[in-house]
Amino acid sequence: MAKKYVQIVDPIHDFITVYSHELGLVDSPIFQRLRRIRQLAGAHLVYPGAQHSRFEHSLGTMHVAGQAASILKEKGYLSSDDYENIRMAALLHDIGHGPFSHLFEEVLQKNKTISHEEIGKKIILESEIGDIINKSGFDKKFLSNLAFGNSKYQFMNEIISGGLSADMMDYLLRDGYFTGAEHAKIDFMRIIHSLDVHEKKLSLAKSALYSFESMMISRYQMFKAVYFHKTVRSAEVMLIQSMLLADKELELATDDIKKYVQMTDEFVISKLVSLEPKDADLKRARQLAIEYQERKLLKCVYEKIFTRPRMNQVNTDELQNRIAKKAQVNKCEVFIDISKTPSIPLSPSKTESKSIILATKKGEGPKESYELPISEIPLVSAISGFMDMLRVYTRQQFRKKVEIAANVILGENI
């Protein structure tokens, strides 16, 4: 008799169970490709332990989503089929990521106006992934919608993405563990056991509000300390610029699935460092990739953090030109980086989350639910809105001149 599951040892969740109908997906070449895409792109150049990949994060997200679904199944909100669908959708939620994870998104959106979610849908619907799903008796179209927050069951979408999502619970714990950052300690089991459903939306027991608050603060701190760390972003700015300069030559921003799934971190970096310098752009792309590989990183000479959206007011090309002119350096030696994130995770529909639904129960009386605005959760309210970071980078030899120019120009305007 064939074994119905395997167990994978995991440093975050101890053991992750993968059932036979999920194993076909995990063992497929397209999913195995996620082993070769780092979860945190260039963060390993600052935090050497951050070598973990989208592969183990996807397994972890499936595991946490399964735990959440199991709790809601016990409470009567989900069937066994729903439980299996949620696990599989969570497993596939990152299947469309390109090399260097979210970093590649900036290349895609600059040149193709397409997201990794849209590519993920294509992979599920048009590749062997969809064939495996169908052969297992599942609906690939439904799973595609659920994996990317578009199913008609809002609370099921919210298990996978959003402010109470399995995705965030796994990546905070996993990224904190592998970077060594102490900011990502969250009591995710308390949150999971406190989940409920109110009017087709995910809700949380009021008694677990402090755990939710702590998780939001942890996420905010991880963005400041890890994801938007100035040296991490220095490495990533170099990679983005290199890929943009070489995109036409290498056809990186493709929505051709066969070409797309060939691309991994090492595949792309090897292409970049091997570029034939036929023109100035390709020469510069190659130089940036080599310097990234050798950790000869750009220096940050100006930094400002905003907690309310301000960056839409900034014309980066104009700013680059002005700073370069003031510093008397070539404009290609000035790098403007604008990093943005909502302080509270977006909902599955990609809108700003402005409230959380809390459930209360007194004695033997009926359960009551109400919507609590984020503005009424003091610590979370303090960080709500958007965290925007504006930074100016340059090479070591131009550091002083560009620093002076950036401070003069940005001191006048920001």
Side-chain angles (χ1 to χ4, degrees), residues 27-77:
D27 286 343
S28 68
I30 290 177
F31 194 88
Q32 288 290 317
R33 161 186 171 272
L34 297 179
R35 290 182 185 271
R36 301 185 293 280
I37 297 175
R38 285 191 184 93
Q39 175 80 0
L40 297 183
H44 65 287
L45 296 177
V46 177
Y47 300 97
Q51 300 283 352
H52 56 304
S53 72
R54 289 280 153 184
F55 179 84
E56 52 262 41
H57 166 60
S58 296
L59 291 174
T61 302
M62 177 186 72
H63 176 76
V64 177
Q67 289 178 308
S70 181
I71 295 296
L72 293 175
K73 182 184 167 194
E74 288 175 15
K75 294 178 180 180
Y77 295 110

Side-chain angles (χ1 to χ4, degrees), residues 72 77 154-155 158 195-204 357-359 367-371:
L72 293 175
Y77 295 110
Q154 185 169 341
F155 77 94
E158 291 172 334
L195 292 176
D196 214 299
V197 176
H198 174 69
E199 295 182 354
K200 299 181 181 179
K201 296 179 183 178
L202 210 55
S203 67
L204 185 71
I357 299 172
L358 297 181
K367 182 175 59 185
E368 296 179 0
S369 297
Y370 64 99
E371 202 162 336

Side-chain angles (χ1 to χ4, degrees), residues 74-135:
E74 288 175 15
K75 294 178 180 180
Y77 295 110
L78 295 172
S79 66
S80 295
D81 286 347
D82 293 331
Y83 168 82
E84 291 179 339
N85 277 318
I86 286 169
R87 278 181 57 96
M88 289 182 78
L91 181 68
L92 296 171
H93 83 286
D94 272 349
I95 197 70
H97 263 299
F100 311 109
S101 295
H102 287 287
L103 202 59
F104 197 68
E105 195 91 345
E106 298 184 47
V107 179
L108 283 176
Q109 293 189 350
K110 182 98 172 177
N111 291 342
K112 275 283 182 183
T113 61
I114 191 171
S115 68
H116 80 270
E117 287 102 337
E118 291 168 294
I119 289 178
K121 289 175 194 174
K122 287 188 72 170
I123 289 174
I124 293 172
L125 296 174
E126 300 173 18
S127 76
E128 64 178 302
I129 294 291
D131 298 335
I132 294 167
I133 290 169
N134 286 345
K135 284 176 185 175

